[in-house]
């Protein structure tokens, strides 16, 4: 059950990361406080420009999505 949940979580994290990378959608929605990913993206934006912040946050979400996919698949298969 945990493996299936992790796999689905990773499956839904991938499109979000791609939308941040390609479309430039803000990872922080209105009404939510800025967390770690948003803070790192803000720092990268301040130092290196808006493109760097978008690449950092989108890349992190894509990486996390793939990590959850692989870990969920491994847990689901019993490895």
């Amino acid at each position: 059950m945990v493996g299936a949940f992790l796999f689905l979580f990773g499956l839904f994290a991938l499109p979000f990361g791609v939308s941040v990378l390609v479309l430039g959608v803000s990872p922080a929605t209105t009404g939510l406080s800025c967390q770690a990913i948003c803070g790192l993206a803000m720092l990268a934006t301040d130092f290196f420009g808006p493109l760097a912040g978008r690449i950092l946050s989108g890349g992190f979400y894509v990486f996390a999505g793939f990590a959850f996919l692989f870990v969920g698949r491994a847990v689901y298969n019993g490895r």
Side-chain angles (χ1 to χ4, degrees), residues 18-43:
V18 170
S19 69
V20 171
L21 277 173
V22 175
L23 302 175
V25 175
S26 174
T29 58
T30 57
L32 295 177
S33 62
C34 189
Q35 299 296 323
I37 298 171
C38 181
L40 290 173
M42 286 174 47
L43 283 173

Side-chain angles (χ1 to χ4, degrees), residues 6-69:
L6 290 173
F7 186 81
L8 288 174
F9 188 70
L11 193 63
F12 289 114
L14 283 176
F16 182 72
V18 170
S19 69
V20 171
L21 277 173
V22 175
L23 302 175
V25 175
S26 174
T29 58
T30 57
L32 295 177
S33 62
C34 189
Q35 299 296 323
I37 298 171
C38 181
L40 290 173
M42 286 174 47
L43 283 173
T45 300
D46 287 344
F47 288 116
F48 303 112
L51 181 62
R54 190 171 79 193
I55 289 173
L56 179 73
S57 62
F60 182 77
Y61 280 114
V62 169
F63 174 76
F66 276 121
F68 278 117
L69 279 175

